[in-house]
Amino acid sequence: MFATIGYWICIPFAWLVRMIYNFTGSYGLAIIFFTVILKLILLPFQLKSKKSMIRMSRMSGKMQEIQKKYANNQMKMNEEIQKLYEEEGVNPMSGCLWSFLPLPILIALYSIIRQPVTRFMFLSEEVLEDLVQKVTEALTASGGDIGSIVFMRDGAPVIMNNGFTQLTGTGQITLVKTITEKFPEIADGVDGWINLNYNFLGLDLAAIPSAALKNFNFSWAAIGLILIPILAGVSQFLLSRLSMKQNPQADSAAASSTKSMMYTMPLFSVFIAFTMPAALGLYWIAQSALSFVQEWVMGRFFNQKLEEEENARAAAIEADRKRRVEEGLRQQALREKEGPPKPSLKERQEAAREAKKNKNKNNKNSTNEAGRVGDRPYAKGRSYRADRYGGE
């Protein structure tokens, strides 16, 4: 099932590489132009992703403030960070998605390079088996070694359960090179057969650099093959360093992880490129070099554009603030010119109630002159008699 899915995934990539090879006649140029075309196809999506990543990097200051403010409240911190993402229109996952895309392309391309008969020429397993039988017979008759094409057991090729001969990891590549260089008549009449030329700048792109390292000699063919994995690692390191510089991480843990990846990914690239055909290393170099240029150009463009947007936003906020201040001053001057404002109906009613309340309060403390003695109100009452105590 997975082999079938992998086959159908490889078809569009294989078709593109084959079309470019038929046009250029060079396997190396086909790999490079294949990389360029894929970059152009994916450019609109990567532009959106890069813009989102740069916007996130410019938010690092605000992110740090939120993390410091809510260090003891993880739930509130997550809420505030999500709110900040929404306000800035940023999707934190959009930048990660496209960064993983080169890996499945690399896997598909490796399958195409490693299996040129079935994944590049689109020939069937039956045709492949027939070619294997003819080539092994021809090599055996001429005293050649068939061990680089098929697995051997007790001096005979290993036959799998499906009845087909079991090929080595690079068996199809060696088969194609053997037919092209030694027995071209074997492929006569095979519909869809292509005499692949793996030579590029004096290097055999079908060779594995680790083999050149084991059998090293001072020749460009060997030195060039060894340089391919090294250049793949260097280009990957420069790309990772540029990406880290343009997209600083607010979180110290994330920054540490990114820095670790900056060193581990190039080493991984070197290892992969040493153990696989040189054509795959060439793709890795082209992909990293083009990505470096793309990241640099997009980084400068979007940083400048976002800075202009932020400056325009700040200018609009400042202009709005000045407008509101000027409007307030104008209203204040207008009120001073018109004089004190007339009290509203509600204010007049409140004033009337307050006046009535004060009047009632004053009435409670008042009395008539008939009841007053000196300063004491109500000193006289009904039982008052002036001569009670001998007075007149």
Side-chain angles (χ1 to χ4, degrees), residues 111-170:
S111 179
I112 295 168
I113 294 172
R114 190 174 65 89
Q115 299 170 291
V117 177
T118 54
R119 297 294 173 92
F120 182 78
M121 305 179 193
F122 303 119
L123 301 181
S124 65
E125 293 285 348
E126 289 75 13
V127 173
L128 172 63
E129 179 65 16
D130 182 61
L131 292 173
V132 169
Q133 294 295 331
K134 291 180 180 179
V135 169
T136 54
E137 290 174 3
L139 281 175
T140 302
S142 62
D145 180 23
I146 64 174
S148 59
I149 300 177
V150 299
F151 282 107
M152 303 293 291
R153 181 182 298 162
D154 298 330
V158 176
I159 305 300
M160 297 184 294
N161 295 332
N162 58 7
F164 293 147
T165 305
Q166 185 175 2
L167 302 182
T168 62
T170 57

Side-chain angles (χ1 to χ4, degrees), residues 5-19 34 38 41 108 112 119 122:
I5 294 174
Y7 173 77
W8 287 105
I9 292 176
C10 288
I11 284 180
F13 298 118
W15 177 84
L16 182 58
V17 175
R18 178 171 174 169
M19 181 185 69
F34 167 79
L38 280 184
I41 293 174
I112 295 168
R119 297 294 173 92
F122 303 119

Side-chain angles (χ1 to χ4, degrees), residues 6-110:
Y7 173 77
W8 287 105
I9 292 176
C10 288
I11 284 180
F13 298 118
W15 177 84
L16 182 58
V17 175
R18 178 171 174 169
M19 181 185 69
I20 300 172
Y21 178 80
N22 290 335
F23 180 75
T24 62
S26 169
Y27 201 80
L29 289 178
I31 296 295
I32 294 173
F33 285 132
F34 167 79
T35 312
V36 172
I37 293 173
L38 280 184
K39 280 291 181 184
L40 293 176
I41 293 174
L42 298 175
L43 182 60
F45 307 100
Q46 292 178 331
L47 284 172
K48 185 177 180 180
S49 174
K50 185 63 177 179
K51 184 177 181 180
S52 179
M53 291 179 66
I54 292 179
R55 195 183 291 274
M56 283 191 64
S57 69
R58 298 178 73 90
M59 290 164 45
S60 59
K62 296 180 181 178
M63 293 277 289
Q64 290 176 355
E65 291 178 3
I66 293 174
Q67 291 170 352
K68 186 181 296 184
K69 184 176 180 180
Y70 301 103
N72 299 324
N73 191 340
Q74 188 67 35
M75 183 176 295
K76 184 64 176 177
M77 182 194 298
N78 294 336
E79 290 177 0
E80 291 298 320
I81 291 176
Q82 185 62 36
K83 183 179 179 181
L84 179 62
Y85 286 152
E86 293 175 357
E87 290 175 353
E88 297 291 337
V90 173
N91 182 2
M93 296 303 297
S94 62
C96 302
L97 178 62
W98 297 104
S99 62
F100 292 104
L101 192 59
L103 185 58
I105 296 176
L106 181 69
I107 295 173
L109 186 61
Y110 170 62

Side-chain angles (χ1 to χ4, degrees), residues 212-255:
L213 188 62
K214 292 178 182 178
N215 305 311
F216 180 75
N217 58 79
F218 287 96
S219 65
W220 169 243
I223 295 174
L225 285 177
I226 295 172
L227 284 177
I228 286 179
I230 296 174
L231 291 176
V234 170
S235 60
Q236 182 66 44
F237 174 76
L238 294 176
L239 174 61
S240 300
R241 186 172 183 178
L242 176 65
S243 179
M244 184 176 179
K245 183 179 179 180
Q246 290 186 342
N247 306 298
Q249 300 290 332
D251 188 358
S252 58

